[in-house]
Amino acid sequence: MRKKMVAGNWKMNLSLEEAMTLSGELIEKLDHHRRDGSPGKENKLPDVVLFPPFIYLTRIREFFPDTKGVAVGAQNCHHEESGAYTGEVSAPMLSSAGATHVLIGHSERRAQFGEDDQLLARKASRALKNGLTTLFCCGEKLPERESEQHFDVVEKQLQSGVFWMKEEQLSHAVIAYKPVWAIGTGKTASPAQAQEMHLFIRRLVEKTYGKAAAGNIRILYGGSCNANNAGELFAQADVDGGLIGGASLKPRDFFQIILAAAS
Ligand code: PEP
């Protein structure tokens, strides 16, 4: 049985003070939920991961000690272990700063920083070598969906970005389907569209790694997921939670999304 995951991608938003306030409000809501719940209720919450900007990682990590059930990850990492890469942050640095997860292949990095499939595979490999759970993002642009190439696009992204992994590595990976036309646009994939693509992805995993791996891998949906639509999206058989952008900056909304993934 796959445990759902809800991840918040803060992108390049929030001052440190705002980030701490948001984290504090989130802790309060989670604690309150645990306190007033029936025994065992805590176990029903999904895994929660926050992706703050690099510079806040250690502070946010300290805010959420292990018992709080919230992990912290980075929005990116460099593909090399260390060296003369001014301004970059490596996977070992992330691990040493308390990050346990990393996003690889977000469409904003593909589009704005020219990150291609080959580079993303190198980043994912580096992240896994350093013990970071890797959330690999894939998804088509609007013209690709309109011309019905969306399955081909996603398959190609996964072939080069994920399907080189050994099965053991895959067990430390999460796939996030994030149709580019739905990111930050307020246009969400319908639950049926999300389910169709998630099932397609799971079948690709099955073809490459077999039934058990396909049954175990978590496939998150991302793209204008919010407190109103999360319940219906997460109710789809192959949607294992969400990677949330805008709504993760609002503690009330993000908490509602976490609850929508509770079972
Ligand atoms: C994201 O970019 O990670 C994302 C899903 O953004 P939004 O939820 O704002 O569409």
Side-chain angles (χ1 to χ4, degrees):
M1 176 71 176
R2 298 182 295 272
K3 188 169 182 197
K4 283 198 165 44
M5 176 184 277
V6 171
N9 175 16
W10 293 356
K11 309 193 185 189
M12 196 175 75
N13 291 301
L14 306 175
S15 66
L16 178 58
E17 197 184 337
E18 289 165 339
M20 301 301 269
T21 303
L22 193 163
S23 303
E25 288 180 29
L26 194 56
I27 283 202
E28 214 174 279
K29 288 180 190 307
L30 288 167
D31 282 350
H32 186 267
H33 177 79
R34 287 180 184 123
R35 266 199 317 270
D36 84 348
S38 50
K41 199 169 171 187
E42 183 179 338
N43 297 330
K44 296 180 181 167
L45 288 175
D47 288 338
V48 177
V49 191
L50 298 178
F51 291 90
F54 287 134
I55 193 166
Y56 304 156
L57 265 171
T58 44
R59 291 294 293 277
I60 303 299
R61 180 72 192 86
E62 282 162 15
F63 227 94
F64 293 98
D66 290 342
T67 50
K68 297 288 179 190
V70 177
V72 176
Q75 299 170 19
N76 178 35
C77 73
H78 196 269
H79 57 280
E80 294 291 354
E81 194 79 0
S82 65
Y85 301 101
T86 302
E88 289 292 323
V89 175
S90 71
M93 289 173 185
L94 296 177
S95 298
S96 71
T100 49
H101 294 65
V102 65
L103 292 182
I104 301 289
H106 192 286
S107 59
E108 287 156 13
R109 295 216 55 91
R110 291 178 191 262
Q112 298 165 15
F113 301 95
E115 296 191 355
D116 61 18
D117 287 338
Q118 283 67 37
L119 178 69
L120 295 173
R122 293 179 70 189
K123 288 186 179 222
S125 168
R126 187 64 63 188
L128 288 166
K129 271 188 196 137
N130 282 281
L132 295 166
T133 297
T134 300
L135 275 77
F136 190 89
C137 306
C138 60
E140 79 285 356
K141 301 188 185 94
L142 187 58
E144 293 163 341
R145 177 161 278 266
E146 286 173 343
S147 57
E148 298 189 355
Q149 293 173 61
H150 45 301
F151 293 116
D152 291 344
V153 169
V154 167
E155 181 168 358
K156 186 171 164 286
Q157 290 170 341
L158 293 176
Q159 287 295 355
S160 48
V162 174
F163 294 162
W164 55 267
M165 292 176 194
K166 297 199 175 80
E167 195 172 335
E168 202 283 321
Q169 291 172 303
L170 187 79
S171 69
H172 301 285
V174 174
I175 294 173
Y177 170 56
K178 301 174 62 62
V180 180
W181 50 270
I183 295 178
T185 59
K187 270 194 222 162
T188 318
S190 68
Q193 284 173 321
Q195 169 57 22
E196 184 185 36
M197 182 58 86
H198 283 227
L199 179 60
F200 173 75
I201 293 171
R202 201 174 301 287
R203 288 195 172 139
L204 288 178
V205 175
E206 184 176 339
K207 247 202 277 179
T208 315
Y209 297 96
K211 252 193 177 1
N216 287 333
I217 193 156
R218 290 187 282 191
I219 307 173
L220 310 186
Y221 169 78
S224 298
C225 183
N226 58 41
N228 295 324
N229 59 29
E232 226 190 321
L233 284 160
F234 298 169
Q236 304 304 305
D238 291 285
V239 178
D240 304 314
L243 175 51
I244 317 298
S248 72
L249 300 172
K250 302 175 198 148
R252 257 188 86 222
D253 293 30
F254 190 56
F255 184 65
Q256 285 307 315
I257 296 171
I258 292 171
L259 290 186
S263 53

